[in-house]
Amino acid sequence: MSNTIWSVDEHLEDVLAAVKPLEPIELQLPDAQGCVLVEDVTVPVALPPFDNSSMDGYAVRVADVAGASEEFPAVLTVIGDVAAGSGELPAVGPGQAARIMTGAPLPPGAEAVVPVEWTDGGTGGGPATTMRPAGAAPEGAGGEVRVHRPAEARAHVRARGSDVQAGDLALAAGTVLGAPQIGLLAAIGRGSVTVRPRPRVVVLSTGSELVQPGEELGQGQIYDSNSFALAAAAREAGAIAYRVGAVTDDAEVLRATIEDQLIRADLLVTTGGVSVGAYDVVKEALSSVGDEDEPGSGIDFRKLAMQPGKPQGFGSIGPDHTPLLALPGNPVSSYVSFELFVRPAIRTLMGLPDVHRPRARATLSADKPLSSPAARRQFLRGTYDASDATVTPVGGSGSHLIAALAQADCLIVLPEDVTSAEPGTEVEVILLG
């Protein structure tokens, strides 16, 4: 560990240079949600695959309903029903009509659909309001329908391929698969796609003082919140997260635990034990894990010109050179460090085009100036109001104020050369929502 002080940007650049997008794999649609497509998907069959009705009504020939009116309706013989999913279709000849449901294929011979509201619905009475159930021809209707209005060719018919044509590009490589994209893939018959998988991120907290939530706290103990917060943040970023509850402050135990976890990790995140205390077990456990014959492997512990989150560790570990980020143990420091370094690494592994949170400029709304240490980039918690582009700080600058973090939806960035930010000045914010 040298005495070099790294800037936030240098450290991030270093992390991202070492992280490569994961190799593409073929996944079934349910598993591909949230993943990035690595192939162009073209449409194998036109959608809809056949001409179909956009209404409940009657499939007719145009000539048979020409000039029809309520006073002089066209009287047609009903030859049968066409439901959605119908196989054998009745052919509609001169003077005939077929009852047809929305989405059902247009039967041969028919040229248009008249909605049921333009007819008597086969009752022999006035205009119908709904289709009668199949097989419920009213007494004395004689299998006839009276049509009260003419229809043009193709009226109320959705043409084959009007949604997409066979051979069209359905989704381009690089598309992130959300719900509508998964729906489109299913609609064109694709059961699986080639994507970059969601990275598997193992989050491990260290500290003998940590107790799992739900258990009793003893003297000098605190609840382990970091492993929960960071596993949740990894999941929000798109990863599959595995949480390993607190590992005791013993370098051998920790090293063994990390080695056990490598099998299921594309990225390891530890929290705690990285500063300069006597019990900084992560540093002790990981300072000797590099391969002698592998330049650049092993974990480098650094001081960053930032607050909170000055102590950071980064490197690769194990036979597959799995990237590992060692974050500080302070809840707010670890979360801010996650946002700045781990989240972009996860998004890089996924092959996403944009790995960073959106940023905005906002006017500082505060009752007193914000102070910031010289030569350090400070990240303060804030609430951002998009309507008037203002930001209000929440909580103080203490790195342990986790309650304030839960109220915040952005980080206020005070650059290295700023030691005081007056109310009303413009600041940069990183939006966390």
Side-chain angles (χ1 to χ4, degrees), residues 96 200 202 206 216 225 228 253 261 275 280 315-316 351 366 425 432:
Q96 295 180 331
R200 298 161 307 159
V202 172
T206 63
E216 285 291 310
S225 63
F228 286 92
V253 173
Q261 294 298 328
S275 57
D280 284 326
S316 67
T425 52
L432 304 176

Side-chain angles (χ1 to χ4, degrees), residues 270-422:
T270 66
T271 153
V274 291
S275 57
V276 289
Y279 295 103
D280 284 326
V281 60
V282 172
K283 197 181 286 184
E284 189 188 336
L286 298 182
S287 49
S288 59
V289 295
D291 308 338
E292 277 68 42
D293 52 347
E294 267 300 326
S297 74
I299 310 296
D300 183 20
F301 291 93
R302 307 172 167 175
K303 293 193 184 85
L304 262 59
M306 66 183 279
Q307 181 181 351
K310 177 174 145 190
Q312 300 282 338
F314 168 66
S316 67
I317 184 170
D320 299 326
H321 309 297
T322 307
L324 180 144
L325 284 104
L327 310 185
N330 235 301
V332 176
S333 308
S334 74
Y335 179 73
V336 169
S337 304
F338 182 97
E339 281 293 337
L340 295 179
F341 308 123
V342 184
R343 191 176 190 277
I346 289 173
R347 314 239 341 140
T348 301
L349 287 167
M350 294 177 76
L352 286 163
D354 191 10
V355 302
H356 296 294
R357 289 277 199 191
R359 294 179 177 236
R361 307 289 300 174
T363 305
L364 184 59
S365 161
D367 40 21
K368 58 179 193 295
L370 299 182
S371 66
S372 182
R376 293 238 208 134
R377 190 177 306 179
Q378 180 163 239
F379 298 90
L380 295 164
R381 279 72 72 206
T383 53
Y384 174 68
D385 184 343
S387 61
D388 59 0
T390 58
V391 65
T392 310
V394 279
S397 59
S399 57
H400 58 287
L401 299 172
I402 198 160
L405 187 59
Q407 310 301 320
D409 59 13
C410 71
L411 296 174
I412 302 167
V413 185
L414 297 181
E416 289 81 347
D417 56 357
V418 169
T419 53
S420 177
E422 297 289 330

